[in-house]
Amino acid sequence: MNNPNLLSDEDTARALKISKEKLYRICRKFDENPDDEWELLEGEHFEWIVRHKQRYFYEQGAVAIAKYLETTEGNNFFDRIIEFITHRRQGIRRALVLRKISQAARSEFSVVSSNTLFLHRKSTIEILETNGKGMNGAISRIQSDNSYEGAEIMAKGRDFDEFENEQYFSKYGILKLAQDMRSSNRSKSRQAWLEAVIEEIEPGLDAQYKKLISREQAIKKAIETAKRASKNRCQVTGEEYKEGCDFDLHGHHLFCKSSREELATHLDNILVIKEEVHNAYHRWHVVNYSGRPCTPASFIEFLQSVHVGMLDKTNSRKRFLALTERLENLQNNFGR
């Protein structure tokens, strides 16, 4: 059962500091007398996991049992369950924040610059669970010194930066935004979410930065291996790269890195091609597949559309057929 809103019978018993057997004895008491004030309703207080044998409890159900125990036995059962639920909610929020950080860092909406990981404005808005207006308001308050006490203005290059005319934010900038939003928002639920962001944004982005650097190094090594395996030849045109050539060889990911991270270092997924061919493919892809990830199938279509002017005369047909077969096999083996 993966529903985060449900507590297992073991967790519920542990939170109340009673045995699981006692928990089920209480449940049976609730069930046996429908006319008393104590009730557990399926779908509201609990769900059957194994029909009529094992229950998972909603927070309301755990609270109802705690109230019953406190009424009949005392011993601060209600305080126990409220403390448990509070910590559990905090844990769930932190996990959700870390998940959003991880997704943003692995996407195409992240940039590493000056040993710092920056997230796109769109990703920052999602992590903060705000909107453009809320974001602009926080930035305006911080930059005008009307933010929370002790706040510092946001510095370009450290807290935020611009890449290709798009705004990006570092862990320091996101932390300042979250602190400002928490201090200016009266909603308890919003404050709780922003507190989780404040706690997790620095360690979360630090961990993702280390993963990205390690991943980029592994990808770079895989591309160099692919180049050696191709004998430093473009696998589309057949041209050999030598010192002093007027072109560079690139490693193109047939299934793009952002959509198929697990294939980023897979040698079969790396096509060694001239920079000119690489750039031409991506221009073509933007026009024909805008917003969709790169695939071997789209590269085949690109070759069929424009390859004639890129292939040299010698063995061009043989190379084209062999390359098409390779890409078709890759698409069939790893396509979803």
Side-chain angles (χ1 to χ4, degrees):
M1 173 64 64
N2 295 319
N3 188 336
N5 295 317
L6 287 170
L7 293 161
S8 71
D9 47 10
E10 291 181 356
D11 285 341
T12 304
R14 185 164 56 249
L16 292 165
K17 297 183 180 179
I18 61 175
S19 68
K20 195 162 70 170
E21 291 73 18
K22 183 173 182 178
L23 174 67
Y24 277 103
R25 284 200 301 272
I26 295 167
C27 290
R28 285 193 293 273
K29 286 183 179 179
F30 275 52
D31 296 341
E32 286 168 358
N33 188 353
D35 297 325
D36 65 14
E37 61 179 308
W38 306 106
E39 62 178 358
L40 290 175
L41 302 176
E42 184 178 358
E44 180 179 341
H45 294 103
F46 74 94
E47 298 286 354
W48 287 110
I49 305 307
V50 178
R51 190 66 184 165
H52 297 303
K53 290 185 178 180
Q54 185 181 12
R55 307 187 196 216
Y56 272 41
F57 297 87
Y58 291 103
E59 290 178 354
Q60 299 95 309
V63 167
I65 294 170
K67 286 181 178 178
Y68 169 82
L69 284 166
E70 183 143 321
T71 300
T72 56
E73 300 181 20
N75 295 328
N76 299 316
F77 284 102
F78 187 73
D79 289 342
R80 290 179 194 174
I81 201 66
I82 294 301
E83 182 181 5
F84 175 82
I85 288 173
T86 299
H87 286 303
R88 179 174 176 271
R89 287 177 178 175
Q90 290 172 344
I92 290 172
R93 280 192 295 268
R94 287 197 295 270
L96 290 173
V97 168
L98 286 172
R99 181 181 179 186
K100 288 194 173 188
I101 291 171
S102 175
Q103 290 172 338
R106 293 201 311 266
S107 75
E108 66 271 26
F109 298 114
S110 66
V111 172
V112 174
S113 177
S114 302
N115 299 321
T116 302
L117 178 60
F118 289 84
L119 301 184
H120 191 273
R121 175 186 170 91
K122 177 182 177 182
S123 297
T124 302
I125 286 173
E126 290 178 355
I127 289 170
L128 294 169
E129 290 201 341
T130 185
N131 52 36
K133 184 177 179 181
M135 182 84 144
N136 292 339
I139 293 172
S140 178
R141 285 190 298 271
I142 293 170
Q143 300 302 68
S144 64
D145 203 24
N146 289 325
S147 184
Y148 59 96
E149 185 177 352
E152 299 177 355
I153 64 170
M154 298 180 71
K156 187 174 183 180
R158 183 179 188 275
D159 300 312
F160 72 96
D161 216 326
E162 291 186 3
F163 306 99
E164 298 182 357
N165 298 318
E166 298 283 342
Q167 199 173 38
Y168 287 73
F169 295 86
S170 71
K171 62 183 180 182
Y172 308 112
I174 298 173
L175 177 62
K176 288 180 179 179
L177 290 166
Q179 289 171 333
D180 172 85
M181 290 179 182
R182 180 187 61 178
S183 68
S184 61
N185 200 301
R186 295 183 180 180
S187 165
K188 294 296 185 183
S189 61
R190 282 287 295 138
Q191 287 180 351
W193 177 263
L194 292 166
E195 284 170 3
V197 173
I198 290 167
E199 289 177 9
E200 300 298 339
I201 192 64
E202 291 198 64
L205 279 183
D206 284 345
Q208 292 303 317
Y209 173 76
K210 290 178 182 178
K211 286 182 180 180
L212 283 173
I213 294 301
S214 176
R215 176 173 175 262
E216 289 304 314
Q217 290 173 342
I219 291 172
K220 184 177 180 181
K221 183 177 179 180
I223 290 174
E224 292 304 315
T225 301
K227 287 180 179 179
R228 289 194 298 271
S230 73
K231 298 180 179 179
N232 286 320
R233 288 184 179 275
C234 173
Q235 293 177 305
V236 169
T237 69
E239 295 171 80
E240 182 181 5
Y241 173 81
K242 295 180 180 179
E243 189 174 348
C245 281
D246 60 355
F247 66 86
D248 289 325
L249 286 179
H250 287 190
H252 167 65
H253 285 85
L254 293 158
F255 285 108
C256 62
K257 293 180 289 185
S258 60
S259 67
R260 300 297 297 274
E261 184 179 359
E262 77 278 14
L263 297 177
T265 57
H266 197 298
L267 291 182
D268 286 345
N269 190 46
I270 299 173
L271 188 67
V272 178
I273 51 178
K274 288 175 61 176
E275 180 181 12
E276 174 192 354
V277 178
H278 198 195
N279 292 339
Y281 166 73
H282 282 290
R283 287 195 298 270
W284 176 90
H285 191 272
V286 167
V287 172
N288 293 275
Y289 286 91
S290 179
R292 286 182 281 175
C294 300
T295 63
S298 67
F299 201 91
I300 291 173
E301 188 178 339
F302 162 73
L303 289 176
Q304 292 171 338
S305 301
V306 301
H307 81 279
V308 175
M310 293 183 172
L311 298 174
D312 62 3
K313 302 290 183 181
T314 308
N315 294 325
S316 60
R317 178 176 175 78
K318 181 178 179 181
R319 186 185 317 107
F320 174 71
L321 292 174
L323 179 57
T324 300
E325 182 179 2
R326 170 189 167 181
L327 301 188
E328 287 176 342
N329 288 336
L330 186 67
Q331 184 72 50
N332 291 334
N333 290 336
F334 294 99
R336 293 172 177 170

